[in-house]
Amino acid sequence: MWYMYIKCHLILYKAIRCICIIQNMEVIKMKVVAINGSTRKDGNTAKLIKNVFSKLEEEGIETEIIQLGGNLVRGCTACMKCWENKDNRCIIKNDMINDCIEKMIEADGIIIGTPTYFADVNTETKALIDRAGSVSLANDVLFKRKVGAAVVAVRRGGAIHAFDSINHLFTINQMFIPGSSYWNMGIGLAPGDVESDEEGIQTMKNLGENMAWLLKKIQD
């Protein structure tokens, strides 16, 4: 009799304690930032990114797109000041790369989108890769264990090389890369053409679903 009485009280105590923990638990909101390297703000690269975003947002993940393309940015000068200063910033301060780096540090997931120029990323995207990558590595790997995805718009060929260039940044920074049903590319030339690439659009949606799944697993 006494044993059952004590057992019931213990069960009740544990249940109340769990409720209190849940009520006081801070809800952690995850965020994915995408950096659009295309000079076309609403072009094919942006449309592909937004299709990834649609699935992330369905899963309650906050999204933000940063327009890098079209802004004047410098490439890495190999001055090595980021390794001396270790302040999470590039020494070049008269462009928006440091703003991008700050957003990347704050985010749980990072998408880098680029058009394909001569079978590779464009100049703005390359500047981001080199400078953000160096700052991250110089400061105890700032992007470590974040989730990263490359998104590439292409007219015909060269997308795989551009895709690989972005993934090189992710892998050396010890990031996690979700897969999709194809390599993350969409085919199109004129703005909006990618919307006719059904497989490309589905690839982006699948990428968004897989990215959301991976982010939640990491959070758990």
Side-chain angles (χ1 to χ4, degrees), residues 40-96:
R40 296 173 174 172
K41 183 177 180 180
D42 297 310
N44 290 321
T45 306
K47 291 185 185 302
L48 293 173
I49 290 170
K50 288 173 183 176
N51 274 278
V52 182
F53 275 5
S54 68
K55 292 299 181 179
L56 291 169
E57 290 163 2
E58 283 180 12
E59 295 296 325
I61 296 170
E62 184 182 350
T63 62
E64 181 182 4
I65 189 165
I66 308 297
Q67 182 59 37
L68 173 64
N71 289 282
L72 293 176
V73 294
R74 292 187 62 182
C76 179
T77 62
C79 67
M80 307 307 288
K81 289 296 181 181
C82 55
W83 291 84
E84 293 178 24
N85 297 335
K86 296 187 181 296
D87 58 357
N88 298 354
R89 298 179 65 80
C90 175
I91 194 66
I92 301 169
K93 298 175 182 177
N94 60 348
D95 62 26
M96 66 179 295

Side-chain angles (χ1 to χ4, degrees), residues 134-176:
S134 186
V135 168
S136 173
L137 294 174
N139 290 274
D140 298 320
V141 197
L142 295 169
F143 307 148
K144 185 176 182 178
R145 298 191 182 127
K146 294 181 184 292
V147 176
V151 168
V152 182
V154 61
R155 182 192 70 85
R156 187 173 180 86
I160 293 297
H161 190 179
F163 179 68
D164 288 346
S165 293
I166 297 171
N167 283 329
H168 292 160
L169 169 68
F170 296 153
T171 54
I172 199 170
N173 278 283
Q174 304 176 50
M175 295 172 65
F176 300 123

Side-chain angles (χ1 to χ4, degrees), residues 13 15 28 32 35 47 49 77 83 99 112 129 134 136 148 157 213:
Y13 168 77
I28 300 172
V32 172
I35 300 170
K47 291 185 185 302
I49 290 170
T77 62
W83 291 84
D99 295 332
I112 297 178
I129 289 170
S134 186
S136 173
W213 182 89

Side-chain angles (χ1 to χ4, degrees), residues 176-193:
F176 300 123
I177 303 172
S180 187
S181 47
Y182 198 73
W183 296 284
N184 308 335
M185 66 176 76
I187 309 297
L189 176 59
D193 279 356

Side-chain angles (χ1 to χ4, degrees), residues 100-125:
C100 292
I101 293 171
E102 184 177 347
K103 292 286 186 180
M104 293 165 78
I105 293 170
E106 293 172 354
D108 302 287
I110 300 166
I111 296 171
I112 297 178
T114 184
T116 305
Y117 283 17
F118 287 88
D120 210 337
V121 300
N122 66 349
T123 52
E124 293 96 326
T125 306

